[in-house]
Amino acid sequence: MGLLTILKKMKQKEREMRLLMLGLDNAGKTTILKKFNGEDVSTISPTLGFNIKTLEHRGFKLNIWDVGGQKSLRSYWRNYFESTDGLVWVVDSADRLRLEDCRQELSSLLQEERLAGATLLVFANKQDLPGALSKEAIREAMALDGIKSHHWCIIGCSAVTGENLLAGVDWLLDDIAARIFTTD
Amino acid sequence: MDATHEVSREPGGFAGESGADKIQERLQKRHQARAEDAERRKEAKESMSVAEEKGEYFSTSFNTERASIEELLSSCSGADRAVVTPRLEEATAKTLQLQKFLNDSMLFLTQYELRRAQAALQKLQSSIVEIREEAQPRKKFTFRARTKATDKVSDAPSPEADTPADSGGNKVDGAAESVQCRFSDLDNVCLTKTAEEIQKRDVLLTHLSNCKVRLFGSPSTLHLKHIDSCEILCGPVSSSVFIDHCTNSTLAMPCQQLRTHNTTDTKVYLHVTSRAIIEDCHGVSFAPFSWSYPTLEEDFDLSGLDRDRNNWSQVDDFNWLAAGTHSPNWTVIPEADRKTTWDP
Ligand SMILES: Nc1nc2c(ncn2[C@@H]2O[C@H](COP(=O)(O)OP(=O)(O)OP(=O)(O)O)[C@@H](O)[C@H]2O)c(=O)[nH]1
Ligand SMILES: [Mg+2]
């Protein structure tokens, strides 16, 4: 049995996953995290550093890292890349002015070697707003169809209503599980 | 979700010690069995010497790295937040890497070495959590005594922030028109939006100078960009207000979050239910929201904002994260100087 197989087996035993949630400031990352965890979302402040939440879902132990997206924090993102199984990229679907910014940040992340193995879930967040772009529009604006390096999926959601958060996380878990936990 | 809890240690390779230990023991047994096999195949000497070499390499590298993380952590004690935050991030990342190194090395480590390394890592992880908790901003800030000393700042000449072109704005601006309320490229006029025009939409104000703007109703988000010498008053915003490249202006709004960038010499009369932040700002001053209009109460209800929770004086400066000293970039407007009456 090779080292990789043993590591795989260990992970399988623990069924532990590390998810990294990134996106521009105001995208709704912290709101998604708290909503998913059943917490109050009305008092969330812009994130000054990062939040970590460990939670059990479908028998998996999820370590979710939510890192602040303000400009001055983006240079720290790389500190969190190591051992990431799933990358959750959160987009504010109503923020048309910064879609291009958003696309560029994502595309440079996908070039990161340390994220090379990670599955990508794009949350087109804030679908509850009348001015939100559809997930198809976001898919186009983010040039997702050009991504060949990662498994990816885009899901329209709302952190405020909770709509589709579970669907997104479930897709992500299934994709990661198929990759990491398959028995040899 | 079956159960949830805040993390109490950094996630690394192992979930809990007992589970991890079992696995380690099993791995170790497996390793021993393999070593015996190898012996039988008369490769014993070779493989043992390799293992020893690796083991030595492991402990040297592990201990060096551990010492450097410990040094980082001990340099955090007593330091202010501006210093602690990046150091903590570095220590967190390094610890994760060390865990990975241990995971990758466990095949050739003895049980004793493994246990010791795991214990050392756990100690590092809990120190990080401890320091992180200590470095969290305290719930309540008070700035009473400091307003005088920092008053000067608002008189300082405003270093004109450079204004990079908005990337990608044009492509989607057209589409935005239909769903967004906006005013742009106007000088010296009075502008109003009614509650009916605004209801739950995004409101965008760009390139305005010398304007008086009144926004009644409850927008979902408010964007102010390139604003010069304006007075902008707005009803309760249900999520965030963005201010970017604003100078010499007076603003008033209730909101859930305020995110201020590249702004100078601007007064903000604020009701914010979480916290306000500033980034790359100078001479921004704050006072409690004091504008009123006949349907304000209704709009508050519509916005879902808590009327009784106003953290207008809790401002985080992303360029100044020191816990002990007040940011030179913002001040509280002294009570005597606050505007209490507003033109219609
Ligand atoms: N209407 C609506 N508002 C949302 C949604 N998700 C988040 N928001 C609002 O958007 C604002 C920003 O949300 P946060 O969760 O703080 O954003 P963030 O991505 O964590 O931002 P940083 O911490 O600065 O990186 C808040 O006012 C939220 O209430 C959503 O699905 N719908
Ligand atoms: Mg956040």
Side-chain angles (χ1 to χ4, degrees):
Chain A
M1 203 186 304
L3 175 63
L4 256 177
T5 325
I6 290 172
L7 288 176
K8 262 190 191 173
K9 287 238 152 180
M10 280 174 43
K11 279 220 170 181
Q12 180 176 25
K13 170 81 177 162
E14 302 295 337
R15 291 172 74 80
E16 181 171 340
M17 291 180 191
R18 181 180 149 96
L19 307 183
L20 177 61
M21 191 145 62
L22 297 175
L24 300 189
D25 51 291
N26 202 55
K29 299 177 289 297
T30 310
T31 311
I32 287 176
L33 184 65
K34 298 230 162 174
K35 185 72 181 186
F36 191 72
N37 204 24
E39 294 174 51
D40 178 25
V41 298
S42 66
T43 56
I44 294 167
S45 300
T47 306
L48 208 59
F50 60 92
N51 301 301
I52 317 165
K53 199 125 288 177
T54 300
L55 46 90
E56 302 279 337
H57 178 58
R58 284 174 44 195
F60 292 104
K61 183 176 170 209
L62 308 182
N63 295 314
I64 310 184
W65 293 64
D66 155 34
V67 186
Q70 289 288 143
K71 265 217 177 77
S72 43
L73 295 179
R74 290 181 207 162
S75 57
Y76 295 116
W77 283 358
R78 59 192 163 78
N79 291 356
Y80 303 87
F81 293 165
E82 204 64 47
S83 324
T84 295
D85 297 308
L87 175 65
V88 183
W89 181 254
V90 183
V91 182
D92 176 348
S93 308
D95 190 0
R96 298 170 148 81
L97 290 177
R98 294 197 298 166
L99 273 182
E100 178 57 19
D101 254 11
C102 186
R103 185 195 64 73
Q104 277 172 15
E105 292 284 1
L106 175 62
S107 108
S108 65
L109 273 185
L110 294 180
Q111 282 158 28
E112 280 292 338
E113 209 173 299
R114 281 175 299 163
L115 291 175
T119 300
L120 170 67
L121 168 67
V122 178
F123 265 139
N125 191 31
K126 308 202 185 181
Q127 289 296 320
D128 59 296
L129 293 177
L133 290 166
S134 69
K135 83 170 187 213
E136 284 73 28
I138 300 288
R139 172 185 183 145
E140 199 174 312
M142 298 284 109
L144 294 184
D145 291 302
I147 299 174
K148 305 288 179 234
S149 49
H150 296 68
H151 282 193
W152 62 269
C153 177
I154 180 164
I155 290 195
C157 73
S158 164
V160 164
T161 66
E163 182 204 349
N164 266 346
L165 293 186
L166 216 55
V169 171
D170 282 343
W171 175 84
L172 189 60
L173 296 200
D174 287 341
D175 189 81
I176 296 170
R179 187 157 47 75
I180 303 184
F181 302 125
T182 43
T183 43
D184 42 354
Chain B
M1 267 156 280
D2 323 324
T4 68
H5 64 276
E6 297 278 342
V7 76
S8 59
R9 42 176 297 230
E10 308 295 283
F14 299 115
E17 193 165 16
S18 57
D21 280 353
K22 259 190 226 147
I23 293 166
Q24 286 161 21
E25 267 170 39
R26 275 213 326 265
L27 283 171
Q28 191 55 31
K29 283 203 185 105
R30 235 177 253 149
H31 170 60
Q32 276 163 4
R34 280 160 59 102
E36 279 161 24
D37 274 345
E39 231 172 79
R40 255 180 273 126
R41 275 183 263 119
K42 296 185 182 170
E43 286 164 2
K45 261 185 197 159
E46 220 175 292
S47 89
M48 282 314 285
S49 70
V50 168
E52 262 165 38
E53 223 169 81
K54 279 185 176 167
E56 206 171 270
Y57 169 74
F58 173 82
S59 16
T60 314
S61 321
F62 187 91
N63 289 330
T64 313
E65 194 56 18
R66 183 181 77 170
S68 94
I69 298 171
E70 278 169 349
E71 204 171 274
L72 258 178
L73 291 178
S74 65
S75 75
C76 286
S77 82
D80 58 36
R81 243 161 96 210
V83 176
V84 170
T85 306
R87 281 189 196 161
L88 217 47
E89 313 243 343
E90 199 188 336
T92 306
K94 281 186 154 181
T95 306
L96 274 169
Q97 259 159 25
L98 197 56
Q99 176 78 63
K100 191 166 176 291
F101 179 51
L102 173 61
N103 292 353
D104 291 345
S105 308
M106 64 178 49
L107 278 184
F108 55 80
L109 294 180
T110 66
Q111 204 132 334
Y112 172 71
E113 285 172 318
L114 258 177
R115 287 246 164 102
R116 258 194 15 175
Q118 193 56 40
L121 265 171
Q122 240 150 46
K123 227 178 108 194
L124 287 177
Q125 285 158 349
S126 43
S127 317
I128 289 177
V129 171
E130 251 174 57
I131 296 171
R132 199 168 122 70
E133 273 162 9
E134 268 172 31
Q136 294 274 325
R138 251 160 273 126
K139 281 258 157 63
K140 280 267 176 212
F141 278 132
T142 48
F143 294 122
R144 281 169 287 115
R146 299 201 188 97
T147 46
K148 271 232 174 74
T150 42
D151 254 4
K152 274 188 225 117
V153 177
S154 47
D155 296 326
S158 56
E160 200 32 83
D162 53 352
T163 53
D166 299 334
S167 46
N170 300 336
K171 198 169 55 185
V172 279
D173 263 10
E177 206 94 40
S178 56
V179 277
Q180 231 171 14
C181 263
R182 64 192 290 169
F183 286 123
S184 20
D185 303 300
L186 294 163
D187 179 44
N188 205 17
V189 281
C190 289
L191 303 163
T192 303
K193 291 263 187 219
T194 63
E196 290 69 40
E197 289 173 278
I198 282 182
Q199 271 353 323
K200 287 279 157 195
R201 296 166 124 182
D202 278 13
V203 177
L204 173 62
L205 309 183
T206 59
H207 296 97
L208 302 183
S209 51
N210 307 298
C211 291
K212 278 196 169 185
V213 186
R214 302 291 181 265
L215 305 170
F216 302 99
S218 171
S220 135
T221 311
L222 172 66
H223 294 262
L224 309 180
K225 276 192 130 184
H226 303 289
I227 304 294
D228 185 1
S229 309
C230 293
E231 184 184 89
I232 299 172
L233 313 181
C234 180
V237 179
S238 57
S239 64
S240 16
V241 172
F242 276 92
I243 305 174
D244 196 9
H245 292 101
C246 175
T247 187
N248 249 319
S249 296
T250 300
L251 315 171
M253 71 280 288
C255 58
Q256 202 239 325
Q257 299 180 346
L258 174 68
R259 297 166 178 263
T260 320
H261 307 94
N262 309 298
T263 289
T264 54
D265 301 323
T266 289
K267 296 185 167 59
V268 187
Y269 290 82
L270 182 66
H271 183 107
V272 64
T273 57
S274 71
R275 291 171 87 93
I277 64 137
I278 59 174
E279 192 175 53
D280 305 321
C281 292
H282 300 279
V284 183
S285 54
F286 294 88
F289 181 72
S290 62
W291 184 46
S292 189
Y293 57 93
T295 53
L296 178 65
E297 286 301 324
E298 288 159 42
D299 289 337
F300 251 110
D301 288 345
L302 209 73
S303 71
L305 293 179
D306 185 348
R307 251 226 106 147
D308 300 324
R309 180 198 288 265
N310 185 0
N311 301 325
W312 65 274
S313 65
Q314 296 181 31
V315 181
D316 287 321
D317 182 351
F318 273 61
N319 307 107
W320 188 271
L321 301 178
T325 38
H326 189 280
S327 156
N329 300 318
W330 70 275
T331 56
V332 167
I333 303 173
E335 259 179 71
D337 303 343
R338 290 178 195 166
K339 229 173 136 62
T340 48
T341 52
W342 302 86
D343 301 335

